Amino acid sequence: MTERKPLGVSFETWIDRQIREATERGEFDDLPGAGKPIPGGDKPDDEMWWIKRKMREENLSFPLPGTLALRKDAEDSRAAAVGARTEAEARKIIEELNGRIRDAHGRTLSGPPVFQPTLDVEEVLTEWRERHPVEDPPASPEPPLRRRRSFFRRRTG
């Protein structure tokens, strides 16, 4: 399609001719998805459908404004802390998040005004403890107490 439209020929006629010639040359044969419905044709119109599809295919997340990204980070970190293997690991996750939140409080972030409070470490650790109960070790039977003989009984026999 690098040639120019000839003078005196309507655009429709010129385009129709180019499509017909390309079809005759077989340039439209074996195209991917030929004869299949257009993916997402049943969904409502969305101007950004191809960007969203590409981001899904590349396993990317949609970029959020700073304030909303911080809120999402807080939710993700809380879930990660509650699911951590050890209490120390959970504490570390929450303390790192609280450090990022304190840093953000000193800066202006893009996005809607959303105040993200720091998370209460003890509250999250209480939730972690509820999900990870400590198993009591099996009670070992205590040896029976031996009665000691009094001093006088030991002396007398």
Side-chain angles (χ1 to χ4, degrees):
M1 298 215 17
T2 57
E3 65 184 83
R4 292 184 155 270
K5 177 184 88 61
L7 293 173
V9 178
S10 71
F11 274 105
E12 185 175 352
T13 307
W14 179 64
I15 291 171
D16 288 338
R17 189 186 86 223
Q18 287 187 334
I19 292 173
R20 182 182 44 77
E21 289 173 358
T23 303
E24 289 171 358
R25 288 191 303 268
E27 292 183 22
F28 297 124
D29 296 345
D30 300 324
L31 290 176
K36 297 179 184 171
I38 296 174
D42 57 341
K43 295 181 182 169
D45 290 341
D46 183 9
E47 296 173 357
M48 308 262 288
W49 66 269
W50 61 276
I51 295 173
K52 291 176 182 175
R53 185 182 72 190
K54 184 66 173 174
M55 290 180 75
R56 247 189 335 271
E57 290 171 358
E58 298 293 328
N59 199 21
L60 300 172
S61 62
F62 199 74
L64 294 172
T67 55
L68 297 179
L70 185 62
R71 170 135 315 160
K72 183 172 183 340
D73 190 22
E75 291 173 5
D76 293 345
S77 293
R78 182 183 183 101
V82 170
R85 289 182 291 170
T86 64
E87 186 174 336
E89 184 180 340
R91 181 179 297 275
K92 181 180 176 190
I93 291 170
I94 296 303
E95 287 175 351
E96 287 176 358
L97 169 71
N98 284 341
R100 290 193 302 271
I101 291 172
R102 283 187 208 96
D103 289 343
H105 288 172
R107 297 184 277 130
T108 302
L109 296 176
S110 63
V114 176
F115 178 75
Q116 176 62 49
T118 57
L119 297 182
D120 182 5
V121 176
E122 292 307 316
E123 179 183 318
V124 176
L125 290 179
T126 300
E127 188 176 342
W128 182 89
R129 288 180 196 115
E130 289 171 358
R131 290 195 179 189
H132 301 86
V134 177
E135 294 181 17
D136 293 329
S140 60
E142 294 183 21
L145 295 174
R146 282 185 29 202
R147 289 184 51 150
R148 296 185 70 187
R149 294 191 302 178
S150 71
F151 175 75
F152 295 109
R153 288 215 174 210
R154 280 185 277 169
R155 296 295 259 161
T156 60

